[in-house]
Every structure is written in structure tokens, then in C-alpha cells.
Amino acid sequence: MEEISELLMHRREKLKKLKEKNINPYPYSFKKTHSSSEITEGFEKLSTDETEVKMAGRMMSLRLHGKSLFFHLLDASGKIQVYVKSDEVGKEKFELFDLFDIGDHLGVTGKVFKTRTREITIRATDFCILSKSLLPLPEKWHGLQDKEKRYRQRYVDLIVNEEVKKVFLVRTELIKVIRGFLDDLGFVEVESPILQPLYGGAFARPFVTHHNTLDVDLYLRIADELYLKRLIVGGFEKVYEISKSFRNEGMDRNHNPEFTMLELYQAYADYNDIMELYEKLLNSVSREVLGSTKFEFEGNEIDLNPPWRRLPLLDSIKEYAGPDLANKSEEETRKIAADLEVKEDLSRPKGKLIEAIFETLVQPNLIQPTFITDFPIEMSPLAKKHREKEGLTERFELFIGGCEMGNAFSELNDPLDQRERFRQQMELAKKGDEEAQMPDEDFLRALEYGMPPTGGLGFGIDRLVMVLTNTRSIRDVIFFPQMKPEE
């Protein structure tokens, strides 16, 4: 700690000396003319015309050679070398580098050339400090095993780890492509409330807050489904929202309490139409963002070329786990779960037991894109009953690389059936199910005005980024993931 304290004090001493020289270490602006990538890509013309360039960035290295020096400047588009010679900038100005440190922001003016090693370089005729760094950058950030520190100090992680920045640039491009794809199909992007008097649209525990003026508790949305369906009732035929949602549940490699999801709804469509739409959407995203429909995720080559496998949920359990759960009672399902040694509270309802069996014994095997279809009605309170299979619903979930990548329904639009489903959910709530869906009378009223046949889809943007960038944890694709408070 003493060594670090001395280092910090040394930087503050340099800051003080800069001020004593009437140099503002935190000026208001710098008029850039070029980025590092523009200089690199336009080198031939810039060097031939002897164009003066002005570039700014963070100093990432410094090599002194007597009366000259080299350093690298990092900006948003990359890194470039700068050469400074004492004779050309003046001895007094050159000596200011004694007061500069790795991590400082500098502005540089000069002309470009190539060194003997053929590296494109700015030959500085002038420079200035733009921000004095008082904390040193870690010397071997790439070798750090302390992931928590990287997540807490994402700003440092982004400075020194180029791969981290690339993941987030992929995320930005991915969202842009999704928007373009849906807009071209005539979908309308909309916004729904984050603060809601009732939460719904998913099985999850909500975050609760309080509105002082109204003196009522409100919930951070767990999904935007019920509001988007209201818009379908209101006459919109294709809507989508890319939204922040919040679920007060555990955190692991696939879950963060605050996450980004996309939900879309299309009138006059069913879950078969949505399957085709989702195949085309992810194909388009993969091609435009990665340049291919094939990519690696956790040691497996994933192939997004359609058609993707379609496998009913109960059939998948029979195929990968053995038992046939069709037409089994809750007690029989409970015994099967116990025999399979599924780690789940066996007093939970039948739907939760089926879900636990699937997640434990089936999901890890679903590496290539697979639509798991036709969920039992106990697991799907907002999905339409299957038109042919008794006790099942028209619902699918997509799995890629063993990760759940989306949930979709032929949406339930029968208000009387929906009311009964809500009643059943309330019974589960009375038995202690904290994730049971609350009845929403206004939503039921909307359905009573009439909602056309509708297909809906929801999927997590964060998980999609994880899979496409071969990233292991959701924390690696969220700029500022939720963390325990620092001690």
C-alpha cells in the first residue's frame, strides 16, 4: 500500500507542477481533425499532401531516446504512434513529458510519416495535455483473474482490453441490425411503462418501489408483454420493443437482475409463423454482424442455417431423460422427478417439476438451434391451448448452445380462458409460489374488446450477444452488471 500511495502522490505532484507552469491540466476542448483509423486508412494521401493532422487520445506507452521520444495514443478507433523531437517542439515544451504519465490524455498536432520499421506515425509539431491521470493503469490487466474488479471498473477494462470493447461494439451493431430487420417488415417500435401498477408477462419476482404522490406501490416491469398486447387490441398489427426489464431473482452466468430484452407481437400470426420469423431474424443478424451463419460457442460450431429442429417438450424429456410424462398426474410427476434426482423442491406444482426435469436433463444437450414446442398448460398461462393436443399449449422456446434464447406463443386471446388461467395462478400464489402471475383486470378488459389471433416472441439481447461473441457470462456483455456492494 505504501508503494501505491507514493505513486499516487507522485502523480499529484506532477499535477501541481503543471499548474505552477500555468498549464491547465483539464482544458475545455480540443479541435480534432482526424481519428487514428482515419490517419491509418488515409495515410498515402495525408503523407503525400503533407496534411497537418490533429488527433487526441490516451497515452498508452512512452519510450525516451535522449532528445526524442515515441508514445502511442489510443482513441475510440484504435492506436497510433507519435514521434516527438526536442529540436522541433522546443526544449522547454519537450521537458513537459517529465510531468506526463501513461494514462494521460494528450492532443497532438503534426504530419504523418512511416518509421524505418514501417509504422505509421505522427511527427508532432505541437502537443498539449487534455486530462491528467491520477491513477495508474494496471500493467498486466490481461492477466488479472479478478473478474469482479474488471466488472466494477469497466472503464479500465475498456481502456486496456481491446477484446472487451469489440464485444460491446458487436452488441451495438446487433441491436441496429435487429431494428432494421423488423422495421423493414413493417413492425413499429414502441415504448411501454417501466413502472407498472401490476407486474406480468413472465414468471418472476418483481422489484417494488413506492410513488409518494399517489401513495401506491409500483413494480419495475418483469416483461412488457401485457402492454404490447394492449396495442394489438388498439389496432397496431406489428409492434416491438427493445426494453430494460427487471427481475428480483438470483444472479448467475445467464442472469442479471437488470437485462435487455426484445418482445414483438404480430396480429393474425401463430407460433409457427413466429418460428419462421425468428429463424430469418437470427440468420440475418449472424450474417450481417459476424459475416457468417456459422460460429463457435463454447467449443461447438453452431450452424444457424434453417430449418432448425422442432421437438415437443415432453418428447424431448422422453428422448434425453427416459420417462414419458404425457398424461401423468402431479403425484406421478413428483415421483419421476425424485427418481431422476432432480434438484428441485418436490412440493412445487407439476409445471415447475417438468421445467426442472427439462432444464437438468435435456437443456444441456440442445447445442444446435432447436425449437422446443408444445408446453403443458401448467407452464404457460398466457399461451393458447394447442389446437390438436389436449393439455398442451402452442408455445416454443429456442435453445442454442444449451442456452434458452427465446420464448414465444400463439397468444391467448380468449378473455374467459385468460381469466381462468389467472385464477389458477392465484391459487399457486396462495400456496407460496412467489413467481405466480397476478390477475390484471385492465388487461382482461382489453381482451374483452377483442384481440385478433396473434403470435408473440420475447428473447434476451444479452444472451444473444453472449452466444454470438462466444462469451461465457452475461456480465461480460453488460457494461455495468449488478455487483455486491464494495466493502
Side-chain angles (χ1 to χ4, degrees), residues 259-284:
F259 61 99
T260 304
M261 64 186 301
L262 179 141
E263 288 203 36
L264 64 82
Y265 293 86
Q266 179 175 339
Y268 312 111
D270 65 10
Y271 78 144
N272 294 302
D273 299 310
I274 300 300
M275 276 191 232
E276 293 180 14
L277 173 67
Y278 201 15
E279 278 182 335
K280 292 175 183 176
L281 171 60
L282 291 196
N283 264 277
S284 179

Side-chain angles (χ1 to χ4, degrees), residues 338-397:
D339 291 343
L340 292 172
E341 299 181 350
V342 171
K343 294 180 180 178
E344 177 61 86
D345 179 356
L346 295 181
S347 67
R348 300 199 76 184
K350 178 181 175 181
K352 293 294 183 183
L353 296 174
I354 295 173
E355 182 178 38
I357 293 170
F358 172 82
E359 289 180 350
T360 304
L361 300 173
V362 179
Q363 184 172 331
N365 299 293
L366 304 178
I367 304 303
Q368 295 304 321
T370 305
F371 289 119
I372 297 295
T373 66
D374 306 342
F375 283 61
I377 198 166
E378 297 91 342
M379 302 173 69
S380 312
L382 294 169
K384 218 166 185 163
K385 291 177 182 177
H386 200 285
R387 66 194 80 181
E388 297 172 353
K389 301 176 183 178
E390 186 70 26
L392 302 180
T393 60
E394 295 198 350
R395 171 186 174 189
F396 75 77
E397 287 188 352

Side-chain angles (χ1 to χ4, degrees), residues 139-153:
E139 289 182 17
K140 294 183 179 179
W141 192 261
H142 290 276
L144 282 183
Q145 298 302 310
D146 187 355
K147 285 250 179 186
E148 243 189 55
K149 191 171 183 181
R150 287 183 54 206
Y151 299 145
R152 289 187 192 282
Q153 299 181 17

Side-chain angles (χ1 to χ4, degrees), residues 97-137:
F97 274 91
D98 293 337
L99 304 179
F100 295 165
D101 291 291
I102 304 299
D104 289 354
H105 278 88
L106 302 180
V108 171
T109 302
K111 296 178 181 179
V112 297
F113 74 107
K114 282 186 179 177
T115 62
R116 279 178 291 181
T117 59
R118 309 303 295 165
E119 183 171 355
I120 294 174
T121 303
I122 301 173
R123 189 181 191 113
T125 55
D126 197 11
F127 60 85
C128 62
I129 189 163
L130 300 176
S131 179
K132 181 66 185 160
S133 169
L134 299 182
L135 287 173
L137 295 173

Side-chain angles (χ1 to χ4, degrees), residues 67 83-95 97 109 123-127:
K67 294 184 179 181
Y83 173 62
V84 184
K85 195 172 181 183
S86 176
D87 293 347
E88 294 175 1
V89 297
K91 182 174 181 294
E92 185 177 352
K93 184 127 189 168
F94 184 82
E95 289 174 350
F97 274 91
T109 302
R123 189 181 191 113
T125 55
D126 197 11
F127 60 85

